[in-house]
Short mmCIF file of all heavy atoms in Angstrom, two decimals:
data_model
loop_
_atom_site.label_atom_id
_atom_site.label_comp_id
_atom_site.label_asym_id
_atom_site.label_seq_id
_atom_site.Cartn_x
_atom_site.Cartn_y
_atom_site.Cartn_z
N THR A 1016 -24.59 0.66 7.32
CA THR A 1016 -23.68 0.33 8.48
C THR A 1016 -24.41 0.53 9.80
O THR A 1016 -25.28 1.40 9.85
CB THR A 1016 -22.39 1.17 8.49
OG1 THR A 1016 -22.78 2.57 8.55
CG2 THR A 1016 -21.56 0.94 7.22
N SER A 1017 -24.05 -0.21 10.78
CA SER A 1017 -24.68 -0.10 12.12
C SER A 1017 -23.73 0.53 13.07
O SER A 1017 -22.51 0.44 12.92
CB SER A 1017 -25.05 -1.50 12.61
OG SER A 1017 -25.45 -1.44 13.97
N SER A 1018 -24.25 1.31 14.04
CA SER A 1018 -23.41 1.91 15.05
C SER A 1018 -23.06 0.94 16.14
O SER A 1018 -22.31 1.26 17.08
CB SER A 1018 -24.17 3.13 15.67
OG SER A 1018 -25.31 2.67 16.37
N GLN A 1019 -23.58 -0.28 16.12
CA GLN A 1019 -23.29 -1.26 17.13
C GLN A 1019 -22.06 -2.01 16.76
O GLN A 1019 -21.89 -2.53 15.69
CB GLN A 1019 -24.45 -2.26 17.30
CG GLN A 1019 -25.81 -1.55 17.60
CD GLN A 1019 -25.75 -0.84 18.90
OE1 GLN A 1019 -25.08 -1.25 19.81
NE2 GLN A 1019 -26.48 0.29 18.98
N ASP A 1020 -21.08 -2.08 17.72
CA ASP A 1020 -19.79 -2.76 17.49
C ASP A 1020 -19.86 -4.15 18.10
O ASP A 1020 -20.68 -4.41 18.96
CB ASP A 1020 -18.66 -1.96 18.12
CG ASP A 1020 -17.26 -2.54 17.69
OD1 ASP A 1020 -16.85 -2.20 16.56
OD2 ASP A 1020 -16.69 -3.24 18.52
N SER A 1021 -19.06 -5.06 17.62
CA SER A 1021 -19.04 -6.40 18.20
C SER A 1021 -18.61 -6.43 19.65
O SER A 1021 -18.95 -7.32 20.42
CB SER A 1021 -18.08 -7.28 17.37
OG SER A 1021 -16.79 -6.78 17.41
N LYS A 1022 -17.83 -5.38 20.06
CA LYS A 1022 -17.44 -5.29 21.44
C LYS A 1022 -18.32 -4.11 22.05
O LYS A 1022 -17.95 -2.93 21.86
CB LYS A 1022 -16.00 -4.96 21.56
CG LYS A 1022 -15.11 -6.07 21.09
CD LYS A 1022 -13.64 -5.74 21.30
CE LYS A 1022 -12.71 -6.85 20.83
NZ LYS A 1022 -11.34 -6.54 21.00
N SER A 1023 -19.41 -4.43 22.73
CA SER A 1023 -20.29 -3.41 23.16
C SER A 1023 -19.65 -2.62 24.29
O SER A 1023 -19.23 -3.22 25.30
CB SER A 1023 -21.66 -4.01 23.63
OG SER A 1023 -22.23 -4.68 22.55
N PRO A 1024 -19.59 -1.32 24.26
CA PRO A 1024 -18.97 -0.56 25.31
C PRO A 1024 -19.84 -0.46 26.53
O PRO A 1024 -21.08 -0.54 26.42
CB PRO A 1024 -18.78 0.79 24.67
CG PRO A 1024 -19.85 0.90 23.70
CD PRO A 1024 -20.03 -0.50 23.14
N ILE A 1025 -19.21 -0.27 27.70
CA ILE A 1025 -19.94 0.02 28.92
C ILE A 1025 -20.11 1.51 28.95
O ILE A 1025 -19.16 2.29 29.12
CB ILE A 1025 -19.18 -0.48 30.19
CG1 ILE A 1025 -18.95 -1.99 30.08
CG2 ILE A 1025 -19.91 -0.14 31.46
CD1 ILE A 1025 -18.03 -2.54 31.12
N VAL A 1026 -21.34 2.01 28.78
CA VAL A 1026 -21.53 3.47 28.69
C VAL A 1026 -21.92 3.98 30.09
O VAL A 1026 -22.87 3.46 30.69
CB VAL A 1026 -22.59 3.75 27.67
CG1 VAL A 1026 -22.95 5.26 27.60
CG2 VAL A 1026 -22.22 3.26 26.32
N ILE A 1027 -21.26 5.01 30.55
CA ILE A 1027 -21.60 5.65 31.77
C ILE A 1027 -21.90 7.11 31.48
O ILE A 1027 -21.17 7.79 30.85
CB ILE A 1027 -20.36 5.58 32.75
CG1 ILE A 1027 -20.01 4.14 32.97
CG2 ILE A 1027 -20.73 6.27 34.11
CD1 ILE A 1027 -18.74 4.01 33.79
N SER A 1028 -23.14 7.53 31.95
CA SER A 1028 -23.58 8.85 31.58
C SER A 1028 -23.12 9.95 32.57
O SER A 1028 -23.42 9.85 33.78
CB SER A 1028 -25.15 8.83 31.53
OG SER A 1028 -25.66 10.11 31.46
N VAL A 1029 -22.44 10.92 32.05
CA VAL A 1029 -22.09 12.05 32.90
C VAL A 1029 -23.28 12.84 33.36
O VAL A 1029 -23.35 13.32 34.52
CB VAL A 1029 -21.13 12.99 32.13
CG1 VAL A 1029 -20.86 14.31 32.90
CG2 VAL A 1029 -19.84 12.32 31.75
N ALA A 1030 -24.25 12.92 32.47
CA ALA A 1030 -25.51 13.67 32.81
C ALA A 1030 -26.21 13.04 34.03
O ALA A 1030 -26.85 13.69 34.81
CB ALA A 1030 -26.48 13.65 31.57
N LYS A 1031 -26.10 11.70 34.14
CA LYS A 1031 -26.78 10.99 35.20
C LYS A 1031 -26.03 11.03 36.51
O LYS A 1031 -26.56 11.22 37.55
CB LYS A 1031 -27.10 9.57 34.77
CG LYS A 1031 -27.83 8.78 35.84
CD LYS A 1031 -28.15 7.33 35.30
CE LYS A 1031 -28.88 6.52 36.36
NZ LYS A 1031 -29.22 5.19 35.86
N TYR A 1032 -24.71 10.77 36.45
CA TYR A 1032 -23.94 10.61 37.67
C TYR A 1032 -23.09 11.80 38.02
O TYR A 1032 -22.60 11.95 39.13
CB TYR A 1032 -23.00 9.38 37.49
CG TYR A 1032 -23.67 8.07 37.32
CD1 TYR A 1032 -23.75 7.47 36.06
CD2 TYR A 1032 -24.36 7.47 38.37
CE1 TYR A 1032 -24.41 6.28 35.89
CE2 TYR A 1032 -25.05 6.26 38.21
CZ TYR A 1032 -25.05 5.70 36.91
OH TYR A 1032 -25.70 4.50 36.73
N GLY A 1033 -22.91 12.79 37.11
CA GLY A 1033 -22.00 13.87 37.39
C GLY A 1033 -20.56 13.45 37.09
O GLY A 1033 -20.25 12.28 37.05
N LEU A 1034 -19.70 14.40 36.92
CA LEU A 1034 -18.30 14.05 36.57
C LEU A 1034 -17.62 13.22 37.59
O LEU A 1034 -17.01 12.16 37.32
CB LEU A 1034 -17.51 15.35 36.27
CG LEU A 1034 -16.05 15.14 35.80
CD1 LEU A 1034 -16.02 14.33 34.56
CD2 LEU A 1034 -15.42 16.52 35.60
N VAL A 1035 -17.66 13.64 38.88
CA VAL A 1035 -16.97 12.89 39.96
C VAL A 1035 -17.67 11.49 40.11
O VAL A 1035 -16.90 10.50 40.20
CB VAL A 1035 -17.07 13.66 41.29
CG1 VAL A 1035 -16.49 12.81 42.40
CG2 VAL A 1035 -16.41 14.99 41.15
N GLY A 1036 -18.95 11.46 40.11
CA GLY A 1036 -19.60 10.15 40.27
C GLY A 1036 -19.30 9.29 39.08
O GLY A 1036 -19.14 8.05 39.24
N THR A 1037 -19.15 9.86 37.91
CA THR A 1037 -18.79 9.03 36.70
C THR A 1037 -17.43 8.39 36.79
O THR A 1037 -17.24 7.25 36.50
CB THR A 1037 -18.88 9.92 35.45
OG1 THR A 1037 -20.20 10.40 35.28
CG2 THR A 1037 -18.48 9.13 34.22
N LEU A 1038 -16.45 9.24 37.24
CA LEU A 1038 -15.09 8.69 37.42
C LEU A 1038 -15.04 7.57 38.49
O LEU A 1038 -14.39 6.55 38.30
CB LEU A 1038 -14.16 9.82 37.79
CG LEU A 1038 -13.97 10.91 36.72
CD1 LEU A 1038 -13.11 12.05 37.31
CD2 LEU A 1038 -13.28 10.34 35.51
N ILE A 1039 -15.80 7.81 39.57
CA ILE A 1039 -15.82 6.74 40.63
C ILE A 1039 -16.48 5.50 40.12
O ILE A 1039 -15.97 4.40 40.34
CB ILE A 1039 -16.56 7.25 41.87
CG1 ILE A 1039 -15.74 8.44 42.53
CG2 ILE A 1039 -16.76 6.17 42.91
CD1 ILE A 1039 -16.48 9.05 43.63
N THR A 1040 -17.57 5.71 39.44
CA THR A 1040 -18.25 4.49 38.82
C THR A 1040 -17.42 3.73 37.85
O THR A 1040 -17.41 2.53 37.84
CB THR A 1040 -19.58 4.95 38.14
OG1 THR A 1040 -20.38 5.74 39.07
CG2 THR A 1040 -20.36 3.76 37.60
N ALA A 1041 -16.67 4.49 37.04
CA ALA A 1041 -15.78 3.92 36.05
C ALA A 1041 -14.71 3.05 36.70
O ALA A 1041 -14.39 1.96 36.31
CB ALA A 1041 -15.19 4.95 35.13
N LEU A 1042 -14.10 3.61 37.78
CA LEU A 1042 -13.05 2.94 38.47
C LEU A 1042 -13.55 1.67 39.14
O LEU A 1042 -12.88 0.59 39.04
CB LEU A 1042 -12.38 3.84 39.56
CG LEU A 1042 -11.58 5.02 38.98
CD1 LEU A 1042 -11.09 5.97 40.09
CD2 LEU A 1042 -10.36 4.51 38.25
N PHE A 1043 -14.67 1.77 39.78
CA PHE A 1043 -15.25 0.54 40.40
C PHE A 1043 -15.72 -0.45 39.36
O PHE A 1043 -15.59 -1.64 39.54
CB PHE A 1043 -16.40 0.93 41.35
CG PHE A 1043 -15.98 1.32 42.69
CD1 PHE A 1043 -15.79 2.65 43.03
CD2 PHE A 1043 -15.75 0.36 43.69
CE1 PHE A 1043 -15.39 3.03 44.26
CE2 PHE A 1043 -15.34 0.72 44.95
CZ PHE A 1043 -15.13 2.12 45.29
N GLY A 1044 -16.14 0.08 38.23
CA GLY A 1044 -16.53 -0.80 37.16
C GLY A 1044 -15.37 -1.60 36.58
O GLY A 1044 -15.48 -2.77 36.35
N LEU A 1045 -14.18 -0.96 36.49
CA LEU A 1045 -12.97 -1.63 36.03
C LEU A 1045 -12.58 -2.68 36.97
O LEU A 1045 -12.18 -3.78 36.64
CB LEU A 1045 -11.89 -0.64 35.77
CG LEU A 1045 -12.06 0.40 34.62
CD1 LEU A 1045 -10.90 1.24 34.52
CD2 LEU A 1045 -12.35 -0.37 33.32
N ALA A 1046 -12.66 -2.33 38.35
CA ALA A 1046 -12.25 -3.26 39.35
C ALA A 1046 -13.18 -4.45 39.34
O ALA A 1046 -12.71 -5.60 39.57
CB ALA A 1046 -12.27 -2.62 40.69
N GLY A 1047 -14.47 -4.27 39.03
CA GLY A 1047 -15.44 -5.33 39.07
C GLY A 1047 -15.32 -6.26 37.87
O GLY A 1047 -15.40 -7.42 38.03
N VAL A 1048 -15.11 -5.68 36.71
CA VAL A 1048 -15.16 -6.56 35.51
C VAL A 1048 -13.74 -7.11 35.21
O VAL A 1048 -13.64 -8.03 34.45
CB VAL A 1048 -15.68 -5.76 34.25
CG1 VAL A 1048 -17.06 -5.25 34.53
CG2 VAL A 1048 -14.74 -4.55 33.93
N GLY A 1049 -12.71 -6.50 35.69
CA GLY A 1049 -11.38 -6.99 35.46
C GLY A 1049 -10.74 -6.48 34.17
O GLY A 1049 -11.52 -5.96 33.33
N LEU A 1050 -9.48 -6.59 34.03
CA LEU A 1050 -8.75 -5.98 32.90
C LEU A 1050 -9.18 -6.62 31.56
O LEU A 1050 -9.39 -5.97 30.59
CB LEU A 1050 -7.29 -6.10 33.08
CG LEU A 1050 -6.40 -5.53 31.94
CD1 LEU A 1050 -6.69 -4.06 31.79
CD2 LEU A 1050 -4.89 -5.74 32.22
N THR A 1051 -9.29 -7.98 31.58
CA THR A 1051 -9.65 -8.66 30.37
C THR A 1051 -11.04 -8.21 29.83
O THR A 1051 -11.24 -7.95 28.69
CB THR A 1051 -9.66 -10.19 30.55
OG1 THR A 1051 -8.38 -10.56 30.97
CG2 THR A 1051 -10.05 -10.92 29.30
N ALA A 1052 -11.99 -8.16 30.78
CA ALA A 1052 -13.35 -7.74 30.46
C ALA A 1052 -13.31 -6.27 29.94
O ALA A 1052 -14.10 -5.87 29.06
CB ALA A 1052 -14.26 -7.89 31.61
N TYR A 1053 -12.49 -5.47 30.57
CA TYR A 1053 -12.40 -4.04 30.16
C TYR A 1053 -11.90 -3.96 28.71
O TYR A 1053 -12.40 -3.16 27.94
CB TYR A 1053 -11.49 -3.31 31.10
CG TYR A 1053 -11.15 -1.93 30.56
CD1 TYR A 1053 -12.13 -0.90 30.44
CD2 TYR A 1053 -9.86 -1.69 30.13
CE1 TYR A 1053 -11.75 0.33 29.91
CE2 TYR A 1053 -9.47 -0.42 29.65
CZ TYR A 1053 -10.49 0.55 29.49
OH TYR A 1053 -10.15 1.79 29.00
N LEU A 1054 -10.88 -4.75 28.41
CA LEU A 1054 -10.34 -4.68 27.04
C LEU A 1054 -11.40 -5.11 26.03
O LEU A 1054 -11.41 -4.58 24.90
CB LEU A 1054 -9.06 -5.53 26.96
CG LEU A 1054 -7.91 -5.06 27.83
CD1 LEU A 1054 -6.74 -6.05 27.68
CD2 LEU A 1054 -7.38 -3.72 27.28
N ASN A 1055 -12.23 -6.09 26.40
CA ASN A 1055 -13.25 -6.52 25.48
C ASN A 1055 -14.45 -5.58 25.48
O ASN A 1055 -15.24 -5.51 24.54
CB ASN A 1055 -13.70 -7.93 25.85
CG ASN A 1055 -12.64 -8.97 25.57
OD1 ASN A 1055 -11.83 -8.80 24.61
ND2 ASN A 1055 -12.58 -9.99 26.34
N ASN A 1056 -14.66 -4.90 26.62
CA ASN A 1056 -15.83 -4.01 26.73
C ASN A 1056 -15.37 -2.72 27.36
O ASN A 1056 -15.57 -2.45 28.54
CB ASN A 1056 -16.91 -4.64 27.63
CG ASN A 1056 -17.42 -5.96 27.02
OD1 ASN A 1056 -18.26 -5.96 26.17
ND2 ASN A 1056 -16.90 -7.06 27.56
#
């Protein structure tokens, strides 16, 4: 079996951005890709 799913997740690293930066990045990411894109990714 492969760890890759047909719906590839958008991975945001806490180690890279920090917790606050990660949450902000995630929120802006959702706004940018839209709800439909979020549900798929």
Side-chain angles (χ1 to χ4, degrees):
T1016 58
S1017 172
S1018 65
Q1019 305 296 327
D1020 189 79
S1021 58
K1022 296 181 179 180
S1023 300
I1025 302 170
V1026 177
I1027 302 173
S1028 171
V1029 173
K1031 181 176 181 181
Y1032 297 106
L1034 181 58
V1035 175
T1037 297
L1038 294 175
I1039 293 174
T1040 304
L1042 289 174
F1043 275 94
L1045 292 181
V1048 302
L1050 180 59
T1051 301
Y1053 167 68
L1054 292 175
N1055 290 328
N1056 299 278

